[in-house]
Amino acid sequence: MEKTKKMNHASDDDNEKQENIIQNPNFEDGLDSWSGRGCKVVLHESMDGGRIMPLSGHVFAAATERKATWNGIQQEISGRFRRKHVYLVTAMVRIFGKAVTSATVQATLWVLNANQREQYIGIANVQATNNAWVELKGKFIIHGSPSRVILFLEGPPPGADILLNNLVVKHAPRNRPSPPPFYENPGFGVNIVENSEVRDGAIQPWFTLGNCKLSVGQGAPRTLPPMARDTLGPHIPLGGNYILVTNRTQTWMGPAQMITDKLKLFLTYQVSAWVKIGGGVSSSSQNVNIALSVDNQWVNGGQVEVTVGETWHEIAGSFRLEKQPQNVMVYVQGPAAGVDLMIAALQIFPVDRRERIRCLRKQADQVRKRDIILKFTGLESSLDLFPYIVKVKQTHNSFPIGTCINRTDIDNEDFVDFFTKNFNWAVFGNELKWYWTEPERGKLNYQDADDMLDLCIGNNINVRGHCLFWEVESTVQPWVRQLNKTELMNAVQKRLTDVLSRYKGKFKHYDVNNEMLHGSFYQDRLGKGARALMFNMSHKLDPSAVLFVNDYHVEDGDDTRSSPDKYTKLVLDLEAQGAAIGGIGIQGHIDSPVGATVCSALDKLSVLGHPIWFTELDVSSSNEYVRGEDLQVMLWEAFAHPAVQVTLINYE
């Protein structure tokens, strides 16, 4: 009898997982259960003279007469979902409009909580066209117990219709964990590039991309570049030969070599070389890129900005492949047409990250551990403790470890329990950014930040303020972009006063102007002194807060705009203007971390004398074991470096 009950229960669960919580998903009952969100919804058997037909069934719906991007088709799902269950949303959509041929269609949840607080949760988006139906697919989970939930489609500009053929919302199947990768004969430290030193004047197996010319020169450095030496250790002297590339008529022209059969999936490869450029160009500096063509898709192996002259420059990077390719070619490109390119000692080799971690553990002992002296009183002899046993247990971690949190997270009691038990710092994902707190001029929203801050302070968790401004123009809300110079300066000062007065003494840090190496919206409109003004006004309004610069791709060699040298120059320039900088933020969005490259960046930034924080950290492998290894590498690099004071993990 008991066995029968269990079998029936399992069958009920299976049926529930197959049940679509969307009513009338294919419009077989007309528009029953559907409505327009700020617009009109109509059914069609065809449109545009028969050019648009339903992909399945007999009809489709169109959200038409849309006056705003949030207008669309909707259905209320209150009472039909279960909290803490993951749901998979699948829809077939397209758009229709004479002036719009392509636009983003997004699935969004509108959630009304029991306290009448509204939330908008993005589920998924897809680039839809007027030519064909496309699949929109994403997942959502609701942790709280809201009074109402509505799922709707939105996104295209006003005037464009959103077409929906069907919509399915079912329990998402549980993903099975991917197995750990097996590396057979990984060949750690072995260069997979043939004839990298072009000995004896031989060029093969190198060939040219385009009609440039390859020859062999003499006079390159006879040692490996520093980051390669840090990984490989002692190495025999090099021969000093290099590949000379002349007659370059396009930036992509240079030496190339096929390496398809030498690569192993899920291994992290370090890239290293010496590069130099000749004259023949008006600009004194040029970018050089070691790239891979993986089935005709560009993969970045490392970039460096090279100045014209006699100096050889180190170029370093990394990559990892996770799908079996048909063809992989490594090539060197970048300088402008007409500029000669020189490459020496190109190395591509898999790194032994576990060995690196073993070394970092020993280094961390020296950096983070100190001797302690225990004193005992009440004993006749401090040397005679028998039969007593002394145990020392660490109860508090002084090294800050934090995470990113969002407003929706704090409605999830499981997340809150994990968060408060495992982290002593936090940063908000979006809720303190200007586009969130003031999306429309004069309409302020600090409730989300207030709720999150109350949770953190109530659990003795310190919080970073991210961010006061964001220098990248695409992140600036439209009303701010439309201000003239005087209006913008007034708005900037008001923003600083609003935030820093409201939260004085509560946020321990602020990222004052985010990503100044990748954008210049405020500086372009307000002048060079605007950035220093932001720092100094912030310091005046809240002297207790430590003020940070913050940027990405600083530690991986992937972006010449944010090299450690350029980051250092930015800080020195700001300090020369009197900016009250107190810390260096590294975002740590990294795909294939290599210890030597990360450590080199930390060493260079440490000369500024400011504490370095990994203000964000996320990894991206499709294999969870590799993601875990990536995260472990980055945490140990941070923990073992004396200039690093914190790591905050992005959990998404």
Side-chain angles (χ1 to χ4, degrees):
M1 186 69 175
E2 183 67 23
K3 184 175 181 181
T4 303
K5 285 183 179 179
K6 288 183 178 180
M7 290 178 64
N8 289 339
H9 180 68
S11 178
D12 291 342
D13 282 349
D14 289 340
N15 291 335
E16 182 184 85
K17 290 178 181 178
Q18 296 301 316
E19 181 183 353
N20 182 9
I21 67 172
I22 294 294
Q23 296 178 343
N24 189 22
N26 302 307
F27 308 103
E28 294 176 352
D29 297 324
L31 290 174
D32 182 47
S33 302
W34 295 96
S35 63
R37 188 173 185 84
C39 63
K40 183 179 179 181
V41 177
V42 296
L43 287 181
H44 294 278
E45 293 182 355
S46 66
M47 286 181 68
D48 198 21
R51 190 179 69 87
I52 301 177
M53 301 293 292
L55 189 66
S56 61
H58 304 291
V59 293
F60 58 89
T64 188
E65 299 181 20
R66 299 174 61 252
K67 302 295 191 297
T69 58
W70 55 269
N71 295 157
I73 186 170
Q74 65 179 8
Q75 183 173 137
E76 185 162 354
I77 59 173
S78 306
R80 298 201 299 274
F81 65 88
R82 296 178 63 180
R83 66 189 299 261
K84 296 185 180 297
H85 281 232
V86 180
Y87 287 91
L88 176 66
V89 178
T90 307
M92 298 306 300
V93 299
R94 65 190 292 171
I95 62 171
F96 175 75
K98 294 181 179 179
V100 182
T101 59
S102 177
T104 299
V105 174
Q106 176 171 310
T108 304
L109 285 180
W110 174 79
V111 179
L112 181 65
N113 292 298
N115 60 1
Q116 299 303 298
R117 178 179 173 274
E118 294 180 284
Q119 286 180 280
Y120 291 90
I121 302 173
I123 300 173
N125 63 73
V126 67
Q127 196 68 19
T129 71
N130 61 353
N131 292 322
W133 295 96
V134 295
E135 183 180 64
L136 185 154
K137 197 171 187 178
K139 295 179 181 179
F140 72 86
I141 183 172
I142 297 177
H143 297 288
S145 300
S147 57
R148 293 185 67 192
V149 178
I150 294 175
L151 190 155
F152 64 98
L153 301 183
E154 61 175 332
D161 293 353
I162 301 174
L163 310 186
L164 174 64
N165 190 196
N166 57 63
L167 178 62
V168 176
V169 179
K170 294 183 177 181
H171 282 276
R174 181 172 297 179
N175 293 331
R176 294 184 178 180
S178 41
F182 174 69
Y183 309 125
E184 185 176 5
N185 301 320
F188 292 130
V190 177
N191 188 13
I192 65 171
V193 177
E194 291 186 38
N195 196 21
S196 64
E197 296 184 52
V198 286
R199 292 183 180 274
D200 303 322
I203 290 292
Q204 291 78 14
W206 293 101
F207 58 88
T208 63
L209 283 186
N211 56 3
C212 58
K213 179 182 178 182
L214 302 185
S215 59
V216 179
Q218 235 293 324
R222 292 180 176 270
T223 59
L224 288 175
M227 282 178 256
R229 293 202 303 271
D230 288 346
T231 302
L232 297 173
H235 199 275
I236 61 173
L238 306 178
N241 288 354
Y242 62 86
I243 299 173
L244 173 63
V245 190
T246 56
N247 298 336
R248 299 178 62 255
T249 58
Q250 300 288 336
T251 58
W252 49 266
M253 289 184 178
Q257 185 175 138
M258 301 303 297
I259 57 173
T260 310
D261 298 333
K262 300 172 185 176
L263 294 167
K264 298 181 184 296
L265 299 185
F266 293 105
L267 277 179
T268 299
Y269 286 86
Q270 183 171 342
V271 180
S272 178
W274 290 112
V275 293
K276 188 168 75 167
I277 61 173
V281 66
S282 57
S283 175
S284 62
S285 62
Q286 298 282 309
N287 285 354
V288 177
N289 171 223
I290 298 177
L292 294 97
S293 173
V294 181
D295 293 336
N296 296 319
Q297 296 294 314
W298 176 78
V299 173
N300 190 0
Q303 298 189 64
V304 67
E305 189 174 79
V306 179
T307 55
V308 175
E310 299 300 320
T311 304
W312 287 88
H313 296 258
E314 178 182 18
I315 184 170
S318 62
F319 69 91
R320 179 171 55 226
L321 302 184
E322 301 193 350
K323 293 182 179 179
Q324 189 61 51
Q326 297 296 315
N327 292 287
V328 182
M329 175 180 67
V330 60
Y331 60 104
V332 186
Q333 62 168 355
V339 178
D340 293 345
L341 175 61
M342 288 152 270
I343 306 100
L346 175 57
Q347 303 276 318
I348 300 178
F349 55 90
V351 293
D352 188 346
R353 281 123 63 85
R354 295 179 182 178
E355 177 60 31
R356 174 74 177 179
I357 290 172
R358 283 192 286 269
C359 295
L360 290 172
R361 285 178 179 272
K362 296 178 182 178
Q363 185 174 323
D365 285 346
Q366 299 174 356
V367 172
R368 303 295 174 186
K369 290 185 177 180
R370 298 291 184 271
D371 292 336
I372 62 172
I373 298 175
L374 301 178
K375 293 184 178 181
F376 301 92
T377 59
L379 298 175
E380 294 183 0
S381 171
S382 60
L383 298 178
D384 185 11
L385 296 178
F386 181 81
Y388 302 103
I389 297 175
V390 178
K391 291 184 178 181
V392 179
K393 182 178 180 181
Q394 180 176 332
T395 59
H396 178 72
N397 176 25
S398 62
F399 185 78
I401 296 289
T403 188
C404 171
I405 62 173
N406 297 308
R407 177 57 185 83
T408 54
D409 295 327
I410 69 175
D411 295 326
N412 178 1
E413 62 269 23
D414 296 330
F415 173 87
V416 171
D417 181 65
F418 181 84
F419 167 57
T420 55
K421 286 181 179 178
N422 291 278
F423 299 100
N424 50 25
W425 278 78
V427 65
F428 301 167
N430 295 300
E431 289 79 359
L432 198 67
K433 293 171 181 172
W434 196 4
Y435 64 67
W436 189 283
T437 62
E438 195 175 7
E440 297 180 44
R441 191 173 191 178
K443 295 184 178 180
L444 301 177
N445 168 31
Y446 289 107
Q447 188 60 55
D448 294 330
D450 289 348
D451 292 346
M452 298 163 73
L453 191 59
D454 288 344
L455 172 70
C456 294
I457 292 176
N459 288 277
N460 296 316
I461 295 174
N462 294 315
V463 191
R464 303 191 73 252
H466 177 76
C467 53
L468 294 175
F469 301 99
W470 199 340
E471 193 71 278
V472 178
E473 183 169 353
S474 62
T475 68
V476 180
Q477 58 270 53
W479 73 263
V480 175
R481 280 182 251 163
Q482 295 167 5
L483 301 177
N484 62 37
K485 182 177 181 180
T486 301
E487 292 171 335
L488 180 59
M489 178 60 75
N490 291 336
V492 164
Q493 293 176 342
K494 184 179 184 300
R495 158 72 172 170
L496 288 169
T497 302
D498 287 348
V499 175
L500 293 157
S501 299
R502 182 185 186 90
Y503 296 117
K504 187 172 183 178
K506 295 183 177 180
F507 285 100
K508 302 299 181 183
H509 299 168
Y510 284 103
D511 296 326
V512 176
N513 193 359
N514 199 40
E515 298 175 2
M516 290 181 282
L517 294 171
H518 289 90
S520 57
F521 173 82
Y522 296 99
Q523 180 171 264
D524 290 345
R525 286 156 180 77
L526 299 176
K528 185 177 180 181
R531 292 173 169 178
L533 174 68
M534 292 173 176
F535 276 88
N536 292 332
M537 190 172 176
S538 299
H539 179 66
K540 184 177 180 180
L541 288 166
D542 189 353
S544 67
V546 182
L547 306 180
F548 275 71
V549 294
N550 194 51
D551 225 302
Y552 63 93
H553 277 330
V554 177
E555 77 293 345
D556 57 13
D558 277 353
D559 190 344
T560 58
R561 294 173 295 177
S562 51
S563 67
D565 293 336
K566 288 192 175 180
Y567 207 14
T568 300
K569 184 179 183 302
L570 171 71
V571 173
L572 293 175
D573 286 348
L574 287 170
E575 290 183 326
Q577 300 174 55
I581 295 175
I584 311 297
I586 299 176
Q587 291 186 11
H589 308 304
I590 194 163
D591 293 329
S592 48
V594 168
T597 309
V598 174
C599 186
S600 174
L602 296 175
D603 288 344
K604 291 178 179 179
L605 293 175
S606 66
V607 301
L608 291 167
H610 296 302
I612 299 172
W613 286 51
F614 278 98
T615 55
E616 307 169 42
L617 178 59
D618 49 71
V619 292
S620 61
S621 174
S622 61
N623 185 290
E624 64 182 49
Y625 290 92
V626 178
R627 288 201 304 274
E629 194 173 67
D630 285 350
L631 187 58
Q632 188 179 27
V633 166
M634 292 300 295
L635 289 173
W636 277 109
E637 290 294 341
F639 197 55
H641 200 284
V644 176
Q645 288 197 353
V646 75
T647 300
L648 287 100
I649 303 168
N650 284 356
Y651 60 88
E652 289 99 341

